[in-house]
Amino acid sequence: MRISDQLCYNSTAIAYIVVLMPGIVRLEPSDQEFRVDGNDSILDAALQAGVPLNYGCSNGNCGLCRARLVSGEVRKISHHDFVLGEAEKSMGHVLLCSYTADGDVVIEVADSAVIPEQTINARVKKLTPLTSDVVLLHLQTPRTQRLRFLAGQSVRLELDNQVSATHPVASCPCDDRNIQFHIRVIADDAFSRQVTTLKPTGAVQITGPFGEFTLNDDSRRSIFFLAFNTGFAPIKSLIEHAMQLEQSEHLQLYWIVESEGAHYMHNLVRSWLDVFDSFSYTPLTAADLCPQVNVAAGLQDDAWQDVSRALLRQISTKHENVNDCDFYVAGPDAVAGAARDFLASNNFPTEQFKSLSIT
Ligand code: FES
């Protein structure tokens, strides 16, 4: 094992600081690669890079993250209670949540692409108003049962009295205990009204994940993210993932809301602009795109379709080579259909378009 040891002295003891080589982990048989720095576990580094691996507890109890070291060197960074059999150890099996890479390594994992459906009893950590009709619901899972999901996926949330609804996760899969949602409160929707009455530590059951609204990890194309209202939630999760992957030439976010002041995470998006050179952001209201729409009574399907088409026209005029980009669209049902039709009529490749309907 390559280890650089540095000595630190104090009056009573000599301590060794182990300096590990940063390394690239390559998974077999998928050939996916990600980087591990410092004392991050291989599992944490994979999750931060958006690479789905099998795991359960993240803390050495369940054994679900075990995988075989094919080449390179790893170092144990945390105690694990799960006991690997002698045969497994001799074949090079390790727990990815308890080991880090010391330089480049190759690891063989079971099929990691399929994440099983999970049911988790979570607790409310916080409920924060974002606008007059959107709340941020922050749930926390038990320490030993974390939610495995991909950026952009959704889950079903069920409250105490069995009222349930499906919502996209707004937070990063890399923080698998703290799961966030942007929920629009609608007068005739029992679930959203009841969410506003939840108290800290209140119970919410999470089931999932579901959905294919996930990044195409193989694409190196520039990406347009079109978020309408709370369609920003899954788009946020996708952008954070895309920024970690650093493989797309350019990321462009258009966030369209019904009224001024409803870009409820404007400052967060502006902070991405400061950090990522290849990111751009255009916040718009529906009236910016279609001055004739009447937002006072809430936009109906026809109006959303007009807004969606107007946005696509603006993008096509402003940007060259739109057909060489990927599109991710999240918002009311009507916007996705209108966007898909508009692009299809301009010979846009259908496989480069993904959409998610949000109430
Ligand atoms: S995830 Fe449970 S032991 Fe690693």
Side-chain angles (χ1 to χ4, degrees):
M1 190 172 289
R2 275 186 318 281
I3 302 171
S4 309
D5 294 340
Q6 298 175 347
L7 287 174
C8 291
Y9 295 92
N10 65 25
S11 57
T12 56
I14 298 174
Y16 287 88
I17 297 173
V18 178
V19 180
L20 297 166
M21 302 282 291
I24 301 294
V25 176
R26 183 163 65 78
L27 300 180
E28 284 188 347
S30 67
D31 259 351
Q32 286 169 296
E33 289 189 346
F34 57 91
R35 184 183 166 91
V36 183
D37 285 313
N39 274 324
D40 282 352
S41 72
I42 296 170
L43 176 64
D44 281 344
L47 295 177
Q48 279 166 26
V51 174
L53 287 176
N54 196 22
Y55 73 100
C57 63
S58 297
N59 56 16
N61 278 303
C62 68
L64 288 176
C65 65
R66 65 180 175 277
R68 190 172 74 85
L69 179 66
V70 176
S71 66
E73 310 215 15
V74 293
R75 170 173 277 269
K76 189 171 173 182
I77 52 168
S78 61
H79 169 76
H80 55 81
D81 288 333
F82 184 85
V83 181
L84 288 162
E86 285 309 316
E88 286 179 308
K89 275 196 239 170
S90 66
M91 286 166 66
H93 282 94
V94 292
L95 296 179
L96 300 184
C97 68
S98 300
Y99 281 77
T100 190
D102 190 8
D104 295 349
V105 298
V106 177
I107 289 175
E108 182 186 65
V109 291
D111 183 5
S112 57
V114 181
I115 296 179
E117 185 177 308
Q118 305 141 70
T119 297
I120 297 174
N121 293 318
R123 296 275 165 195
V124 176
K125 187 162 181 201
K126 225 177 181 181
L127 190 67
T128 313
L130 294 171
T131 68
S132 59
D133 65 349
V134 179
V135 293
L136 170 65
L137 174 62
H138 181 161
L139 301 180
Q140 194 165 58
T141 73
R143 226 173 261 288
T144 53
Q145 210 188 359
R146 296 151 188 258
L147 180 71
R148 293 171 51 210
F149 67 101
L150 297 177
Q153 286 192 301
S154 300
V155 295
R156 189 167 66 253
L157 300 175
E158 186 172 323
L159 308 180
D160 252 354
N161 58 358
Q162 299 179 340
V163 178
S164 66
T166 298
H167 281 275
V169 180
S171 47
C172 176
C174 55
D175 191 356
D176 48 7
R177 270 197 82 200
N178 291 286
I179 317 292
Q180 298 186 8
F181 303 89
H182 303 165
I183 295 181
R184 192 179 183 88
V185 182
I186 301 169
D188 58 1
D189 174 56
F191 176 85
S192 65
R193 273 190 290 110
Q194 214 165 304
V195 161
T196 61
T197 66
L198 287 169
K199 300 278 180 271
T201 77
V204 179
Q205 189 179 73
I206 301 175
T207 304
F210 311 111
E212 308 291 323
F213 192 64
T214 54
L215 272 193
N216 176 0
D217 288 347
D218 296 331
S219 171
R220 300 289 181 274
R221 291 181 284 270
S222 291
I223 306 177
F224 282 96
F225 294 100
L226 313 187
F228 296 79
N229 284 343
T230 50
F232 177 70
I235 294 285
K236 168 181 175 288
S237 188
L238 288 179
I239 291 176
E240 287 171 341
H241 181 190
M243 285 174 170
Q244 277 165 354
L245 291 181
E246 287 184 20
Q247 63 185 25
S248 300
E249 217 167 280
H250 203 90
L251 308 176
Q252 318 212 31
L253 167 65
Y254 284 79
W255 187 6
I256 297 86
V257 295
E258 283 179 56
S259 50
E260 288 290 350
H263 296 99
Y264 51 79
M265 290 197 171
H266 189 64
N267 288 342
L268 170 75
V269 181
R270 293 195 63 77
S271 73
W272 294 341
L273 286 170
D274 294 338
V275 180
F276 296 95
D277 292 341
S278 58
F279 173 70
S280 56
Y281 170 44
T282 309
L284 294 166
T285 65
D288 291 334
L289 292 159
C290 290
Q292 76 279 9
V293 295
N294 177 8
V295 293
L299 293 190
Q300 302 306 309
D301 282 0
D302 285 0
W304 273 125
Q305 286 167 352
D306 288 345
V307 169
S308 181
R309 282 190 284 263
L311 174 62
L312 267 296
R313 265 195 298 277
Q314 186 182 106
I315 289 174
S316 306
T317 310
K318 197 166 154 193
H319 302 277
E320 289 177 3
N321 306 325
V322 164
N323 284 10
D324 295 333
C325 300
D326 291 335
F327 274 78
Y328 292 83
V329 180
D333 222 3
V335 299
R340 183 184 287 108
D341 292 348
F342 182 96
L343 289 167
S345 66
N346 288 281
N347 304 317
F348 182 80
T350 50
E351 67 276 12
Q352 290 166 217
F353 180 90
K354 284 193 182 186
S355 64
L356 183 70
S357 291
I358 312 272
T359 21

